Structure formats: structure tokens, C-alpha cells
């Protein structure tokens, strides 16, 4: 109990509403953050190992972006060890303000990488369905690597002004007291991030998936019309080998994208409201932040449940581990 009291003295407790329940709230925060940290690291390590053990997954060009997201989410989990160790009262050995700034910057950059990768995945699927004949010439491994490199560079640069005193990069639910009281958001910097990251990524994703499902619906209608006119096995075979695999894979990626924005939308809304000084609520700050960070684990669950090739690779990996044990 003395160590828990030390936690409540040295760390801010966003969900605390009074002196008597402050210790209980800090215990709840610690459990949430430690659990999320473990799940994020374990889940994304599993995804990375499965991709290395399942060669069929590499047939999709989007595997480059999926693996990049897995590495970014893994680093999110590793970064979360900082507040985890702090809540467990292990000294970081670094000044609190510097720790807070570096942690907020790293988390923001990593989630920016995930958001940009989701936008690139939607563009990739759009090209695969709209330009199937020239797709292999347009999307090459070299261009994909260049695109991923540019994503990392852009994500690192866009949040860099926060180190020069121009606002907060977007990390809320502050564990460190300095983050909560001394590092304030800035409406202009928030608008800058929204205009250069959140809004373009959301627009690209909405545009591409709208046209992807529109085209798939048209192809399905054409196939059904052909079957009605010419009920033969040739038409059935042609229809089954058409766009249905692309549509199924697009649906998997659409689910990942949808869950990402569902979990991040409360965070973005609160980010905008706090930057505009319209709303400041420590409980909402904590909940929206760690709800958004939980997306780093949700990607693993969605992909493992939705993709049959991934499930096959996961089964083979499990069998290999079990046989070696």
C-alpha cells in the first residue's frame, strides 16, 4: 500500500475525483496501462512472426503496409513501458518534462505511421481493382519501400514543431504531472495536424473505399445478370475467379480501417475541443487516449479473425512452437 501511495503522490491521476479514492483510481489506471502494454506487444509480435512464417501473405502488396503497421504498433507497446514503469514507481532517470515530450512525440509519430499506412492500403486496393492490367507495373516492391520510407519521414517531421514550444502533439490522458499542468495544447498546432494528417487520410480512405465497393457492386450485378441469361458452368467459373478475392480482402482492410477510426474519433474530437479551450476533463482525456492506443492491439485481432491465410500461418506457427516445446 505504501508503494501505491507513492504512485498517487508522484503521478497525476486523471480519473481521480477525490482524495479518498485517488489510490484506487491509480491502481485502476495502472492495471489498464499494464494490460494494454502487454497485449499490444504480444499481439504485434505474433503478427510479425506469422508474416515471416506464412509465405502466402507476401503475395499481397499490402503486406508491406500491414507489417509496417505491426512494427509501429509494437513500438507503441514498447513506448507504453515508460508510463507503465513510472506507475509501478520505477524511476526513469530522465527529467520529467523531457520524458513527457519524447513519449508524446513518439506515440504521435507511430500512430501517424499507422494512419498513413491505412490510407496507402486503401489506395493500393483502389489501384488493384480499377487498374488490374497495369497494377503490377504501377505498384512495385521498390516503390512500396520508397512509400513506406516517406511515410516515416513525413510522420517524424509533422510533429517536430512540438519540441520548439508550438503546442502539444496530441498525447492526452497524462500520466506525468508536468504533461497535465505545464504542457498545453495549441489550437493552431492542432489545426496544422488536422489539415496535414487527419483530414487528408480520412478523405483518401473514404474516397477509395467508396469507389472500391461501388465497382465491386457493379461487377456482382453484371455477374448475376450473366448467370440469369446464360446459366452455364463457364459463367459461374468466370464469376468466381473475378473480383471476389479482391473484394473479400478489401473487406478485411475496411474493417481494420473502420475500427481504427471508431477508436480514434473520440480522441480526435477531444483533442480539438481541448485545444480550443472548450472542454477540459481529465477523465475523458485518459479514457479517449488509452481507447485510441488500444487500437494497436485490435488490428491483430481483426486480421487474425478475418484472413484465412493469416489463420493458417498462425496455426503453423503454433504447431512449430508446440513441437519444439
Amino acid at each position: 500500500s505504501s508503494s501505491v501511495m507513492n504512485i498517487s503522490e508522484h503521478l497525476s491521476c486523471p480519473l481521480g475525483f477525490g482524495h479518498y479514492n485517488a489510490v484506487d483510481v491509480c491502481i485502476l489506471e495502472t492495471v489498464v496501462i499494464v494490460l494494454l502494454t502487454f497485449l499490444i506487444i504480444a499481439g504485434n509480435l505474433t503478427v510479425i512472426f506469422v508474416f515471416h512464417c506464412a509465405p502466402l501473405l507476401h503475395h499481397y502488396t499490402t503486406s508491406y503496409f500491414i507489417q509496417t503497421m505491426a512494427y509501429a504498433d509494437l513500438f507503441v507497446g514498447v513506448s507504453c513501458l515508460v508510463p507503465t514503469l513510472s506507475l509501478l514507481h520505477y524511476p526513469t532517470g530522465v527529467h520529467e518534462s523531457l520524458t513527457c515530450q519524447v513519449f508524446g512525440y513518439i506515440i504521435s509519430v507511430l500512430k501517424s505511421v499507422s494512419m498513413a499506412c491505412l490510407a496507402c492500403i486503401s489506395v493500393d486496393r483502389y489501384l488493384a481493382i480499377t487498374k488490374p492490367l497495369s497494377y503490377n507495373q504501377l505498384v512495385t516492391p521498390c516503390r512500396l519501400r520508397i512509400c513506406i520510407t516517406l511515410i516515416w519521414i513525413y510522420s517524424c517531421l509533422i510533429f517536430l514543431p512540438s519540441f520548439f514550444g508550438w503546442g502539444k502533439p496530441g498525447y492526452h490522458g497524462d500520466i506525468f504531472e508536468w504533461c497535465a499542468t505545464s504542457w498545453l495544447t495549441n489550437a493552431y498546432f492542432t489545426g496544422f495536424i488536422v489539415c496535414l494528417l487527419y483530414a487528408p487520410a480520412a478523405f483518401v480512405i473514404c474516397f477509395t473505399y467508396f469507389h472500391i465497393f461501388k465497382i465491386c457492386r457493379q461487377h456482382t450485378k453484371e455477374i448475376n445478370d450473366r448467370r440469369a441469361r446464360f446459366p452455364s458452368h463457364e459463367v459461374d467459373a468466370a464469376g468466381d475467379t473475378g473480383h471476389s478475392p479482391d473484394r473479400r480482402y478489401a473487406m478485411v482492410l475496411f474493417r481494420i480501417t473502420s475500427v481504427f477510426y471508431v477508436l480514434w474519433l473520440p480522441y480526435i474530437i477531444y483533442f480539438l475541443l481541448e485545444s480550443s479551450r472548450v472542454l477540459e476533463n481529465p477523465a475523458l482525456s485518459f479514457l479517449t487516449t488509452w481507447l485510441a492506443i488500444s487500437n494497436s492491439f485490435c488490428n491483430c485481432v481483426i486480421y487474425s479473425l478475418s484472413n484465412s491465410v493469416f489463420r493458417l500461418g498462425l496455426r503453423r506457427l503454433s504447431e512449430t512452437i508446440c513441437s519444439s516445446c
Side-chain angles (χ1 to χ4, degrees), residues 10-12 14 79-84 86 91-109 159 162-164 167-185 267 274 285 289-290 293:
H10 290 281
L11 299 172
S12 63
S79 300
C80 288
L81 288 174
V82 175
T84 299
S86 298
T92 57
V94 187
H95 195 269
E96 185 179 352
S97 61
L98 179 61
T99 304
C100 178
Q101 284 183 310
V102 171
F103 176 67
Y105 174 77
I106 290 174
I107 289 289
S108 299
V109 167
F159 291 101
S162 63
F163 275 110
F164 301 99
K168 203 173 185 178
Y171 172 67
H172 301 285
D174 305 305
I175 302 303
F176 301 102
E177 187 177 357
W178 186 89
C179 292
T181 59
S182 302
W183 198 16
L184 303 177
T185 52
Y267 168 83
E274 187 186 88
S285 176
T289 296
W290 292 96
I293 290 176

Side-chain angles (χ1 to χ4, degrees), residues 236-312:
D236 290 340
D240 292 336
T241 58
H243 286 268
S244 55
D246 285 329
R247 185 179 182 180
R248 284 195 298 270
Y249 194 59
M251 279 300 300
V252 173
L253 301 173
F254 180 71
R255 290 189 195 107
I256 293 175
T257 306
S258 300
V259 171
F260 181 92
Y261 276 95
V262 166
L263 295 177
W264 273 82
L265 191 58
Y267 168 83
I268 295 172
I269 292 173
Y270 182 83
F271 185 28
L272 292 170
L273 293 176
E274 187 186 88
S275 301
S276 306
R277 303 295 182 266
V278 175
L279 175 66
E280 283 192 37
N281 188 304
L284 281 177
S285 176
F286 179 84
L287 293 173
T288 55
T289 296
W290 292 96
L291 181 67
I293 290 176
S294 69
N295 175 256
S296 297
F297 171 68
C298 293
N299 288 342
C300 316
V301 177
I302 297 168
Y303 207 72
S304 59
L305 293 177
S306 303
N307 191 286
S308 58
V309 178
F310 184 89
R311 290 197 300 272
L312 178 61

Side-chain angles (χ1 to χ4, degrees), residues 24 51 75 77 104 108 111 118 139 149 176 194 233-234 262 282 296:
D24 293 335
F51 265 92
F75 292 144
S108 299
K111 299 319 295 179
L118 289 172
V139 182
T149 303
F176 301 102
V194 169
H233 295 289
E234 290 80 5
V262 166
S296 297

Side-chain angles (χ1 to χ4, degrees), residues 107-225:
I107 289 289
S108 299
V109 167
L110 293 173
K111 299 319 295 179
S112 171
V113 169
S114 295
M115 194 174 293
C117 282
L118 289 172
C120 290
I121 285 172
S122 67
V123 173
D124 176 83
R125 291 298 89 198
Y126 176 77
L127 292 175
I129 290 178
T130 57
K131 300 181 183 297
L133 298 179
S134 57
Y135 174 77
N136 290 330
Q137 286 74 37
L138 291 172
V139 182
T140 62
C142 180
R143 289 178 180 176
L144 288 172
R145 294 189 187 97
I146 292 172
C147 181
I148 290 170
T149 303
L150 292 176
I151 286 173
W152 281 98
I153 293 173
Y154 183 77
S155 299
C156 290
L157 291 177
I158 195 173
F159 291 101
L160 203 58
S162 63
F163 275 110
F164 301 99
W166 191 31
K168 203 173 185 178
Y171 172 67
H172 301 285
D174 305 305
I175 302 303
F176 301 102
E177 187 177 357
W178 186 89
C179 292
T181 59
S182 302
W183 198 16
L184 303 177
T185 52
N186 183 291
Y188 295 105
F189 183 67
T190 302
F192 172 76
I193 296 298
V194 169
C195 292
L196 293 185
L197 178 63
Y198 296 153
F203 174 78
V204 168
I205 288 169
C206 291
F207 175 84
T208 51
Y209 277 113
F210 172 79
H211 284 84
I212 284 170
F213 291 117
K214 182 180 177 181
I215 292 169
C216 289
R217 196 162 52 244
Q218 289 175 350
H219 281 284
T220 302
K221 184 180 177 181
E222 290 174 2
I223 291 169
N224 291 334
D225 290 342

